[in-house]
Every structure is written in structure tokens, then in C-alpha cells.
Amino acid sequence: MRLDKFLKVSRLIKRRTVANSVSEMGKIIVNGNPAKPAKQIKIGDIIEIEYSNRVEIVKVLSVPTGNVSIQEAENLYQIIS
């Protein structure tokens, strides 16, 4: 699954267009490297998201095939810090 779609489906970022622009600005790092929106995400990847006032680091636990419910979205990742 693409990075921008994963961020939207997991609800780490509300809209896919926002996830797209944030990753284009270099504020999303996957496994220690800046990531483009089309980066393929797999289980075990570490994603670092730089929000305006904080940085959130998450580990990918599951990659869905489509959209998921709000309750299931929390099971897609684990917050590291």
C-alpha cells in the first residue's frame, strides 16, 4: 500500500491530499529515509511523522487491502513515541 493511502486509512493524517503534500515537504520519514507519497509500506516499517508541534513515531503492524473502520484503524500501527 502507498504511504499516503496508509496514512489516510490509519487516520494518522485526515486526508490523502494532506498526506501527499506533507510527504512531499519531507516531513515523513520511513525507516530513517525521507519518503515520497508513492513509497510502498510493509509490515514492520517505522514511520516518523513531523506535525507542526510534535513528532510521532509509529510501527506498522498491519497493511490493509482497503478502507477500514475507525475501531480497526488503531490496530494498523503501534505508537512508539
Side-chain angles (χ1 to χ4, degrees), residues 8 23-24 28 46 54 59 66:
K8 187 249 183 215
S23 61
E24 286 290 337
I28 298 179
I46 305 295
R54 64 187 164 93
K59 180 178 182 180

Side-chain angles (χ1 to χ4, degrees), residues 11-37:
R11 291 171 175 79
L12 288 166
I13 295 181
K14 291 184 180 182
R15 283 180 236 108
R16 189 169 176 179
T17 55
V18 174
N20 231 325
S21 61
V22 169
S23 61
E24 286 290 337
M25 289 189 287
K27 295 188 178 228
I28 298 179
I29 297 172
V30 177
N31 297 329
N33 300 314
K36 297 290 183 188

Side-chain angles (χ1 to χ4, degrees), residues 30-44:
V30 177
N31 297 329
N33 300 314
K36 297 290 183 188
K39 167 109 175 106
Q40 291 297 312
I41 297 299
K42 57 189 180 305
I43 295 172

